């Protein structure tokens, strides 16, 4: 009986030690906080107008679908695309996706969310996604999305006018 108790005690102690040694995905054990980077990107995109300089949808270059459109990322979360005669209005946001399990390979990614309430047949529907930010500067934002459905990779680049 004493042997069983000692074995149980050692097993419980081992499990306790192992679980206390585990940390989050961060090397320093502190949680990810992307709020400063998100604020900087938001500030950059809200100034001026932007154009799509590259849009590849599952291997197909569809940049020309948005030729002539200027995109305004407004502080109220609205996204307006206009080419002088046509206007599409949607929404945008930037969110910290570090605690979510999406189809991204990164554990601390920031999502650039775009949504246009349009039919599936509209070109702007292809922009609707929670894009992962590849790079972001004050004049260029490169986004990527790996489809969970067909595994295709979509690339979207905005550049400031």
């Amino acid at each position: 009986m004493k042997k069983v108790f000692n074995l149980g005690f050692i097993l419980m102690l081992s499990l306790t030690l192992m679980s206390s040694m585990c940390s989050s995905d961060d090397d320093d054990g502190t949680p990810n906080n992307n709020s400063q980077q998100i604020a900087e990107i938001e500030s950059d995109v809200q100034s001026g107008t932007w154009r799509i300089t590259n849009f590849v949808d599952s291997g197909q270059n569809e940049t020309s679908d948005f030729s002539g459109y200027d995109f305004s990322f407004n502080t109220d979360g609205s996204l307006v695309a206009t080419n002088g005669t046509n206007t599409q209005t949607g929404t945008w946001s930037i969110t910290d996706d570090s605690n979510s399990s999406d189809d991204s390979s990164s554990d601390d990614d920031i999502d650039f969310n775009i949504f246009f309430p349009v039919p599936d047949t509209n070109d702007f529907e292809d922009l609707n996604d929670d894009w992962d930010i590849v790079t972001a500067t004050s004049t260029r934002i490169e986004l990527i999305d790996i489809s969970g459905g067909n595994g295709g990779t979509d690339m979207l680049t905005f550049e400031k006018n």
Side-chain angles (χ1 to χ4, degrees):
M1 179 73 171
K2 192 174 188 180
K3 242 182 185 180
V4 172
F5 176 77
N6 286 340
L7 184 59
F9 178 76
I10 290 172
L11 181 62
M12 189 167 66
L13 181 62
S14 297
L15 289 172
T16 303
L17 287 173
M18 285 186 341
S19 67
S20 69
M21 293 168 57
C22 294
S23 69
S24 69
D25 292 334
D26 295 323
D27 294 336
D28 64 0
T30 59
N32 295 323
N33 185 347
N34 295 319
S35 60
Q36 182 177 355
Q37 187 177 6
I38 289 172
E40 289 172 15
I41 297 168
E42 286 175 340
S43 176
D44 287 340
V45 299
Q46 290 171 5
S47 80
T49 58
W50 297 74
R51 68 182 184 277
I52 292 177
T53 57
N54 184 46
F55 178 56
V56 177
D57 186 7
S58 298
Q60 295 277 38
N61 189 324
E62 298 179 11
T63 308
S64 63
D65 292 348
F66 305 98
S67 179
Y69 277 94
D70 290 328
F71 290 78
S72 297
F73 298 90
N74 299 314
T75 57
D76 65 357
S78 65
L79 172 57
V80 179
T82 184
N83 68 0
T85 56
N86 298 313
T87 300
Q88 293 289 341
T89 303
T91 60
W92 74 281
S93 65
I94 299 175
T95 54
D96 186 341
D97 196 36
S98 61
N99 297 321
S100 155
S101 58
D102 68 358
D103 52 14
S104 163
S105 61
S106 173
D107 292 325
D108 60 350
D109 66 40
I110 298 172
D111 282 348
F112 197 107
N113 307 292
I114 296 174
F115 178 73
F116 286 98
V118 294
D120 288 347
T121 56
N122 188 300
D123 290 334
F124 281 83
E125 199 281 330
D126 291 337
L127 301 179
N128 292 346
D129 219 325
D130 57 337
W131 298 88
D132 290 329
I133 297 175
V134 177
T135 59
T137 69
S138 60
T139 59
R140 182 181 174 97
I141 299 168
E142 294 180 35
L143 307 170
I144 189 170
D145 181 65
I146 300 171
S147 172
N150 63 8
T153 300
D154 300 339
M155 302 289 298
L156 176 61
T157 304
F158 286 99
E159 290 189 40
K160 189 178 275 189
N161 283 336

